[in-house]
């Protein structure tokens, strides 16, 4: 305590220092800071302590370029609670200030821990937990916080190394330090500490943690990397991770605390001897009986524990009763390990490398988009797949990585799967970790986003658990994806490998060990490692290694890869027997996916102010819409929902008007001669009084009224651009006749007046029904050569200007009553006027894409109906400008040779422009598909005609 002069305290105020405006200055002790700087790969890393968080037991800031991570550790001062485990808590935080962003939440604060924060906490927890001494049951808390991030480096590895350094500086007993490093691979070259941009190009994301000579933790995400290349990556990672260890030791020598003497809860030799004498023989009898199931075995072991408890209560041994559970578990562990190492037999009687019996069933729940049931032994998992629009992708707010995630796998472990009572809470670290591991494994075989831009959610529900449910999730999820029709390249399977070792008492090193394939839950608990390995036939896609002792030699870890590979192939065989290719979902419950092309003005009308109209349509129909630059993606639960949403979109935005197309409109005005109808996104059409009904109509108001919603057929367009509509064309003729002569005459009259043409590219041949090799030029669905129904050619309405010009040049042709040949297709009037179903018309819309029945590899198809230029309009005979090597429809015969240009490129062939408005088709032959471009010229010969009169052409060189 500072002493002051008594005389100075009694001076009058006018004689004090303050009266003369003098100030006193207090001296502050300078902060003593300790740093260590070292280089790994191409990065310079700095460890710093002493500047901030000085009240924590220990605190370290690790810096790499502009990324800084703070890690602090604290421990409780006394172990008052009776426990037999280490209550270690690891909290990892990424607050938005680290990247200069204010949170977008309502409160503008960070909420509950996100998935990434939980996963990074597990990355830190798994390698440091085994290094605490046995019997140390004091509560320990690690808090890692990102202070700043430049987005270049993933902060999880930095936080783990900072935590190791903090534990070294603290007075907490710990067997570290550890080093953790990330390894990537680009073009076959391994990279140490890759940046986030480099990881996007890497086919390997390996996180490796170790002590100076032993492996502690492995976490891998890969794109089918071979076991040999994976082993090479592990052997490279070990010496690089060790480079983190020496700087931590130097920092601890300068600023570390001496380790405190904590009370350890150890089992006494007396207690162990009593429990062993009572329980060892009965436990061995249970473990040597392979007929026991999980719960029968557990019940028998619990009865043995109760027998031991009764004996200790009779003896009055209170100290042994406090640690009874730990003592009985220790006896179980020794009995199991001794039998496996000495005799090579496991709890259920299997050989060491034997996989449990398998059961696979794809499509278990038929109503869902995709589902699968997978069982291995008594472990059973139900996986389901749900497809959504691109806007359904999960939004991420981490300081590094992509902003969204389109593939999600959610793992759920309900209490009933182990016959326990419990309640469901929020995010569980174990569930998040297992789900992410399976997600990494399946991500490698998903199609690229450009080919399949839809959001996919896989949900894994554990029905029964007896070990390795995460690997069962991988197998079930792979089958569910194929059942949903998602074009995954091949199956992914996973298996868990265990290890039982025996230590040399003198050196503490492993003297003998056994590797176990497909471990049970009890073998996981009583063994040394849980090595989860997932992959395809080509290679590994995901790995997670958890170790219980204080490290395992890397040689033993690499040795586990071979039995895991053999077991994986065996599981893949069973899965492929159940389902080996993605299914084509054609049932009414499968999802419907469509992408439509619109200009931005049309999309703005569709979205409405602040997206209100889009949200309203989604609520009314149940579909999801995703709007991009010029594209509209729609995801519907089934075909009926897709029909509803397309009908609403057509009404708001509209589509290209087609003669014969069915449209829904609303009557806006009634006149004496007919009614004006608004349809197709605000366009106006005239419903003449003669087109109201098959029967004579005296007044228009007797049939329709203002505001009435009607289903109408477009029958033509006059020279002034007025659209003609017909109501009677959509209703059956009295007497049950399907044809309507009046409608046919009105359609034919409209054709003659406007000179309407039908592009060959939309004609579907009836021969497609009988021959799988017939080329369908009118089907917009990719890879599908068969038309849905026998449809008539679609008639497009040309502009008024084109019609006026054509009328002047070809007025003589309009009076001809013979069947009109247009663009090389003989148009039959009756077939042109048949009423088409609105659904089939919608599938041929110029803006509509491939109408997927179930998810297929997504390709943006070009519009199959395009307006022709004036040069493509059929010219009258005798046109002096007609090229000599071009022919008209009348001149084209079998064997006629002509020079053609590629007009359209289809999945199964080409649409060729023969000149003079005449078109034909060329079918690709098997294994003879060449690269073509629109506009290419080639010499072709007419080899045949389709049933619709379309010329079928062959290359002259092909003859």
């Amino acid at each position: 305590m500072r002493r002051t002069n008594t005389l100075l305290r009694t001076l009058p105020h006018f004689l004090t220092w303050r009266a003369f405006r003098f100030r006193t200055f207090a001296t502050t002790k300078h902060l003593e800071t300790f740093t260590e700087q070292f280089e790994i790969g191409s990065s310079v890393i700095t460890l710093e302590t002493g500047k901030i968080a000085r009240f924590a037991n220990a605190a370290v800031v690790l810096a790499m370029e502009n990324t800084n991570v703070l890690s602090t550790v604290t421990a409780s001062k006394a172990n008052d609670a009776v426990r037999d485990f280490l209550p270690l808590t690891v909290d990892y935080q990424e607050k938005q200030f680290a990247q200069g962003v204010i949170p977008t939440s309502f409160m503008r604060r960070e909420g509950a821990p996100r998935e990434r924060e939980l996963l990074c906490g597990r990355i830190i927890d798994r390698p440091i937990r085994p290094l605490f001494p046995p019997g140390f049951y004091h509560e320990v808390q690690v808090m890692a916080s990102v202070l700043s991030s430049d987005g270049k480096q993933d902060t999880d590895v930095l936080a783990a190394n900072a935590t190791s350094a903090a534990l070294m500086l603290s007075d907490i007993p710990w067997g570290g330090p550890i080093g953790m490093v990330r390894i990537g691979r680009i073009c076959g070259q391994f990279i140490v500490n890759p940046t986030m941009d480099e990881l996007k190009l890497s086919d390997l994301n390996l996180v490796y943690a170790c002590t100076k000579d032993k492996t502690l933790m492995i976490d891998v995400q890969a794109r089918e990397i071979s076991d040999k290349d994976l082993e090479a990556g592990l052997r490279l990672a070990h010496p690089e991770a060790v480079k983190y260890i020496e700087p931590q030791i130097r920092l601890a020598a300068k600023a570390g605390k001496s380790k405190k003497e904590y009370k350890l809860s150890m089992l006494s030799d007396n207690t162990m001897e009593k429990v062993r004498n009572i329980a060892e023989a009965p436990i061995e009898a249970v473990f040597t009986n392979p007929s026991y199931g999980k719960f029968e075995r557990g019940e028998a072991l619990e009865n043995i524990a109760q027998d031991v408890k009764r004996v200790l209560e009779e003896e009055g041994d209170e100290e042994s009763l406090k640690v009874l559970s730990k003592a009985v578990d220790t006896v179980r562990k020794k009995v199991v390990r001794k039998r496996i190492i000495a005799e090579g037999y496991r709890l259920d009687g299997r050989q060491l490398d034997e996989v449990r019996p398998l059961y696979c069933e794809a499509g278990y729940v038929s109503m869902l988009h995709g589902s699968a049931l997978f069982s291995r032994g008594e472990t059973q998992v139900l996986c389901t797949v749900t497809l959504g629009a691109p806007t359904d992708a999960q939004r991420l707010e981490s300081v590094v990585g992509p902003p969204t995630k389109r593939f999600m796998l959610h793992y759920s472990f309900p209490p009933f799967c182990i016959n326990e009572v419990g309640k469901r809470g929020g995010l569980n670290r174990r569930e998040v970790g297992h789900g992410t591991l399976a997600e990494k494994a399946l991500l490698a075989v998903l199609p690229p986003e450009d080919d399949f831009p839809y959001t996919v959610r896989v949900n894994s529900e554990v029905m029964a658990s007896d070990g390795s449910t995460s690997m069962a999730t991988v197998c079930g999820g792979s089958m569910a994806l194929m059942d949903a029709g998602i074009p995954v390249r091949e199956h992914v399977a996973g298996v868990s490998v265990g290890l039982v070792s025996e230590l040399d008492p003198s050196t503490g090193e492993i003297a003998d060990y056994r590797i176990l394939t497909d471990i049970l839950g009890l073998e996981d608990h009583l063994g040394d490692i849980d090595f989860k390995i997932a992959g395809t036939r080509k290679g590994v896609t995901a790995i997670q290694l958890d170790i219980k002792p204080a490290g395992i030699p890397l040689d033993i870890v690499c040795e586990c890869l071979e039995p895991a590979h053999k077991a994986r192939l065996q599981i893949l065989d069973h899965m492929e027997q159940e389902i080996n290719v993605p299914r084509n979902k054609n049932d009414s419950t499968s999802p419907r996916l469509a992408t439509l092309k619109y200009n931005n003005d049309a999309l703005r009308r569709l979205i409405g102010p602040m997206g209100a109209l889009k949200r309203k349509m989604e609520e009314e129909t149940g579909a999801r819409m995703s709007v991009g630059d010029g594209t509209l993606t729609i995801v519907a639960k089934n075909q009926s929902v897709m029909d509803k949403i397309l009908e609403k979109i057509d009404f708001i935005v509209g589509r290209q008007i087609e003669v014969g197309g069915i449209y829904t409109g609303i009557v806006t005005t009634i006149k004496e001669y007919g009614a004006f109808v608004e349809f197709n996104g605000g366009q106006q059409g005239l419903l003449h009084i003669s087109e109201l009904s098959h029967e004579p109509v005296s007044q228009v108001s007797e049939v329709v009224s203002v505001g009435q919603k009607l289903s109408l057929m477009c029958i033509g367009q006059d020279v002034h651009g007025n659209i003609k509509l017909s109501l009677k064309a959509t209703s059956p003729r009295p007497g049950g006749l399907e044809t309507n002569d009046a409608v046919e005459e009105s359609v034919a009259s409209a054709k003659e007046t406007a000179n309407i043409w039908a592009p060959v590219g939309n004609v579907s041949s009836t021969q497609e029904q009988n021959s799988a090799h017939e080329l369908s030029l009118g089907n917009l669905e990719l890879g599908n050569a068969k038309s849905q129904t026998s449809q008539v050619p679609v008639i497009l309405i040309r502009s008024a200007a084109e019609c006026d010009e054509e009328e002047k040049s070809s007025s003589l042709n309009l009076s001809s009553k013979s069947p009109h040949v247009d663009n090389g297709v003989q148009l039959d009037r009756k077939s042109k006027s048949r009423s088409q179903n609105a659904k089939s018309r919608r599938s041929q819309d110029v803006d509509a894409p491939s109408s997927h029945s179930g998810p297929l590899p997504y390709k943006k198809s070009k519009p199959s109906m395009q307006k022709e230029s004036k040069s493509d309009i059929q010219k009258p005979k005798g046109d002096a400008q007609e090229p000599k090597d071009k022919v008209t429809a009348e001149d084209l015969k079998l064997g006629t040779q002509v020079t053609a240009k590629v007009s359209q490129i289809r999945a199964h062939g080409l649409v060729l422009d023969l000149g003079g408005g005449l078109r034909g088709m060329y079918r690709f032959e098997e294994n003879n598909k060449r690269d073509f471009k629109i506009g290419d010229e080639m010499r072709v010969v007419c080899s045949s005609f389709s049933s619709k009169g379309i010329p079928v052409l062959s290359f002259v060189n092909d003859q």
Side-chain angles (χ1 to χ4, degrees), residues 373-671:
L373 188 66
F374 180 84
S375 299
R376 180 166 50 212
E378 292 185 311
T379 295
Q380 187 181 67
V381 171
L382 173 63
C383 291
T384 61
V385 172
T386 307
L387 295 161
T391 51
D392 293 327
Q394 181 182 359
R395 295 183 179 181
L396 306 176
E397 295 183 352
S398 59
V399 296
V400 294
T404 59
K405 183 170 69 171
R406 72 183 184 98
F407 177 68
M408 301 162 284
L409 193 150
H410 296 155
Y411 168 97
S412 180
F413 193 89
F416 67 78
C417 71
I418 51 175
N419 196 25
E420 289 185 357
V421 177
K423 61 180 181 179
R424 304 296 296 164
L427 287 178
N428 180 282
R429 287 177 181 261
R430 179 182 178 277
E431 291 183 346
V432 171
H434 281 39
T436 302
L437 174 62
E439 182 181 297
K440 290 177 181 178
L442 295 174
L443 196 60
V445 298
L446 283 182
E449 187 172 359
D450 293 339
D451 295 337
F452 194 81
Y454 307 107
T455 301
V456 181
R457 183 196 184 211
V458 179
N459 196 78
S460 173
E461 294 287 336
V462 179
M463 298 289 106
S465 173
D466 190 16
S468 192
T469 54
S470 61
M471 294 296 95
T473 295
V474 174
C475 302
S478 180
M479 291 193 300
L481 289 173
M482 280 198 177
D483 181 62
I486 298 176
V488 294
R489 292 199 308 274
E490 54 184 316
H491 271 311
V492 183
V495 68
S496 187
V497 176
L499 178 73
V500 172
S501 62
E502 184 178 323
L503 301 180
D504 188 338
S506 59
T507 62
E509 299 296 327
I510 295 178
D512 197 6
Y513 63 90
R514 297 289 184 272
I515 297 174
L516 311 179
T517 301
D518 185 22
I519 57 176
L520 297 171
L522 190 57
E523 291 172 335
D524 179 13
H525 174 68
L526 302 177
D528 293 333
I529 69 172
D530 183 10
F531 196 4
K532 302 180 178 72
I533 307 174
T536 65
R537 293 185 181 276
K538 296 179 181 178
V540 174
T541 59
I543 282 180
Q544 179 177 298
L545 171 62
D546 294 325
I547 296 178
K548 297 179 181 63
I552 295 292
L554 182 57
D555 291 337
I556 297 179
V557 173
C558 293
E559 189 179 342
C560 295
L561 296 176
E562 179 61 25
H565 178 74
K566 294 180 179 178
R568 189 167 74 243
L569 295 181
Q570 181 179 346
I571 298 169
L572 287 171
D573 290 339
H574 281 77
M575 294 169 60
E576 289 172 356
Q577 290 176 5
E578 174 64 17
I579 180 172
N580 58 1
V581 292
R583 286 180 177 166
N584 185 16
K585 305 286 278 189
N586 290 320
D587 55 280
S588 59
T589 62
S590 60
R592 294 297 189 266
L593 314 171
T595 300
L596 286 75
K597 293 288 186 180
Y598 291 108
N599 57 44
N600 291 331
D601 291 337
L603 291 177
R604 278 191 288 269
R605 295 199 311 271
L606 180 64
I607 295 172
M610 304 295 292
L613 186 55
K614 173 177 172 288
R615 289 193 300 270
K616 181 181 179 181
M617 293 170 62
E618 290 178 335
E619 293 173 358
E620 291 177 351
T621 61
R624 298 286 185 92
M625 295 190 295
S626 175
V627 179
D629 186 11
T631 61
L632 174 66
T633 303
I634 306 172
V635 178
K637 296 179 181 179
N638 49 50
Q639 184 60 49
S640 63
V641 174
M642 178 63 77
D643 293 337
K644 291 179 182 178
I645 191 70
L646 287 178
E647 182 179 353
K648 291 181 176 293
I649 292 172
D650 289 345
F651 185 78
I652 295 172
V653 180
R655 50 192 167 119
Q656 188 169 346
I657 305 300
E658 303 172 358
V659 171
I662 306 297
Y663 301 91
T664 301
I666 296 178
V667 179
T668 58
T669 308
I670 293 179
K671 301 293 183 180

Side-chain angles (χ1 to χ4, degrees), residues 27 34 116 156 167 169 312 435 441 448 492 494 508 531 564 584 643 675 772 892:
T27 59
F34 302 92
R116 171 175 163 79
D156 53 357
L167 287 170
L169 296 175
L312 295 179
V492 183
F531 196 4
N584 185 16
D643 293 337
L892 188 62

